[in-house]
Amino acid sequence: MRVRSIAMGLVLLAVPTTAVAQEVIPMDVHVKAVGKGTEGTVVEVAVMFAPEDRALVGNALDLRTTLSSNGGVIEDLTGVVAVGEDGVARVKRDWAPGSYDLSVWVSSRVHPAIGFSTGQLEVPGTQGTALNTADFQSSPEAEPPNSSAVHFLDVPNINSFDALHLEVAVPPGTAEVEFFHDSKMVDRRKRPPWSTRVSTREIVQQSRYRAVALDGSGRYLGEDVIVINPPPGESGIEILVAPASASVQGRLPVTVAITDRIKTLRVSLYIDDKLASSWQACPCVTDVAIKDFEDAAVLTAEVVDLQGNRFVEVVNSNGLFSGTVRVDLVELQVQVFDSHKVPVTGLDATDFSVFEDGTEVEIAGFGTAADQPLSVLLAVDSSGSMSGIFPQVRKAVEVFCTELLEPGDRAALIRFASEIDTVVSWSSDPSDITEGLDKIVPGGYTILHDAIINSLIELQSLRGRKAVVMLSDGYDTSSFASFSDAMWFSQSMRVPLFIISLRKGDAWRVAKSSDPTQVRNRHQITTLAQKSGGNAYFQIPVTELSSIYSSIAQILRSQYVLWYPPPPSVAGEFNSIEVKVAKPNLKVRTISGYYTGR
């Protein structure tokens, strides 16, 4: 039995926690049956490394094997295994006969390096005397997740833009849970469900929520932290030390919280350079002697995820109760036009000046379409009124995607009517978009505001150039979200919106209409698009749709990206943005401003 090896790409993330570039460990995995077990068949998993990679691998590895069947996990084992002189790490397991999927991860303990393999295997039945499988257990160093500790349940998918609820699991004896939004207490629960309500505006902001469980005497039982809408690319780690009043026999609980809930291979806590504890998954809670805190200079939490990214958070042991501050970069997408509204290329960083709330800020980075890949979210109205023209719409979107995407770019496709569905999730192949469009069958009403918010959420964790290109033949009729909600999301996400409004027919005269509702709707769409740094197109006959898409493609191919660290400001405050170009007769288009917290 052989497990197919998958090469992993080199990854380097620029995030507030320290991210270390991972080298790829080339490896080959073989599995063979070696005898009868007490439960099934004893199999040997052999992970093989080339001699030239021994220095990268070392004499021991963190190894994780996950056995699954029909989507369910049968066994998930993490441990430390020795690497023999022959360059092979071996572990034996007792598995029932059957067909399985096996995934194997390894992480070097001497270098920032990781390897990953996955494949299918068939475990045969065996006869004879059962082997003593105790001899074949790996020696797990990692603690299991502390399921009885305080921990936030997964953030639910946002399918209603009214609000969402954050819920925590708590240990036995909990009488009260206090919820904090950033540093302010916002809720106190004295009975299940142990949850708090999060409003729409807090969904879009970078909002930190902390839950503290107390017993009937007000004694601390534990805590956890979660961040809604974390900064792009950040894998947040926080080290939470219990208050002194929670000490038991001279020891304090310490929690390593992974605020964005990434899937982990290993989580480790160090006191100075000494390993205090490690886990394969969270909740990650341990007890540390108070004397160790007093003698230490720093505490370090290290996370290695399943993609091989390594993140580190270091805090001074004397400042554990003050918390840490993370600063996200403000990233601006900028388009420049001449007096004939033709996009201008060839400018460099010295041609631009950026002002936030009237004060010039120093530009920290600059990019163009040539060196900044594009992520474009294509949102297509599939309401019932689109039925007659959808073949023409499908063709126009296909051509747009094919002509726009260059190597390194990617696109996603959603459809919206009475509901919103992600049809294609981020692909660099235009044919995937074509196939997705072929699956769309128009029907239902139009939830335009919800679609705008959903599109922006799809882009929230991506860096670089990005845009939403939305097509509809009408205005909002059935959204949960209001226009103000959509505007808030738009001015928080800093992503240009290009909204195309199709003409419904010769009798459709919204541009000259005296209907107050139509006039208001048109004004709202124009405001949304322009304040995001994009544009709105009205009264477009379906026969001219291709030329509009072509115009948008030209703009996207001429974008500039500027970024800078934001000056200090109050959370939730709106900061106005103005970008100037040092050359005459040029017009700049970018966001009008943004809300602090994103």
Side-chain angles (χ1 to χ4, degrees), residues 344-409:
V344 175
T345 59
L347 303 177
D348 59 34
T350 60
D351 294 315
F352 292 91
S353 301
V354 178
F355 298 83
E356 184 167 312
D357 291 331
T359 302
E360 186 170 5
V361 296
E362 183 178 354
I363 298 173
F366 173 83
T368 66
D371 53 26
Q372 294 281 319
L374 172 68
S375 298
V376 59
L377 192 290
L378 303 171
V380 178
D381 184 346
S382 61
S383 59
S385 59
M386 295 284 287
S387 298
I389 60 173
F390 204 78
Q392 294 164 279
V393 168
R394 183 184 292 116
K395 182 62 177 177
V397 176
E398 289 175 3
V399 172
F400 170 70
C401 188
T402 301
E403 294 181 350
L404 175 68
L405 296 185
E406 297 181 348
D409 296 342

Side-chain angles (χ1 to χ4, degrees), residues 171-343:
T174 297
E176 183 177 313
V177 174
E178 297 175 341
F179 290 94
F180 296 82
H181 178 202
D182 296 330
S183 59
K184 179 182 178 182
M185 182 187 291
V186 293
D187 210 348
R188 178 184 283 117
R189 296 291 183 185
K190 294 183 179 293
R191 62 181 63 87
W194 308 105
S195 63
T196 188
R197 182 180 181 275
V198 179
S199 70
T200 300
R201 288 197 170 190
E202 288 160 0
I203 296 172
V204 67
Q205 295 184 83
Q206 179 191 336
S207 300
R208 177 184 183 272
Y209 278 84
R210 182 167 64 100
V212 180
L214 308 171
D215 67 13
S217 301
R219 180 180 173 82
Y220 173 96
L221 296 178
E223 63 184 313
D224 192 22
V225 169
I226 194 169
V227 174
I228 299 174
N229 208 11
E234 176 177 309
S235 177
I237 308 168
E238 292 197 28
I239 301 173
L240 307 173
V241 179
S245 60
S247 64
V248 177
Q249 297 181 343
R251 303 181 71 86
L252 278 177
V254 178
T255 301
V256 177
I258 304 175
T259 61
D260 66 354
R261 301 308 192 253
I262 61 171
K263 301 297 183 182
T264 62
L265 174 62
R266 186 180 67 249
V267 181
S268 302
L269 176 68
Y270 294 87
I271 300 177
D272 286 340
D273 58 353
K274 180 182 178 182
L275 180 67
S277 192
S278 66
W279 306 264
Q280 68 184 52
C282 288
C284 304
V285 183
T286 191
D287 290 330
V288 175
I290 294 176
K291 184 178 184 302
D292 290 343
F293 288 127
E294 296 172 348
D295 295 339
V298 296
L299 264 69
T300 304
E302 179 189 74
V303 174
V304 178
D305 70 15
L306 295 184
Q307 283 70 48
N309 305 314
R310 187 184 302 255
F311 303 91
V312 178
E313 176 79 349
V314 181
V315 296
N316 188 305
S317 63
N318 295 321
L320 290 172
F321 305 99
S322 62
T324 57
V325 177
R326 294 187 171 91
V327 178
D328 187 20
L329 292 175
V330 176
E331 196 173 68
L332 303 178
Q333 295 178 83
V334 179
Q335 298 113 43
V336 181
F337 301 88
D338 64 17
S339 58
H340 301 288
K341 299 183 180 180
V342 176

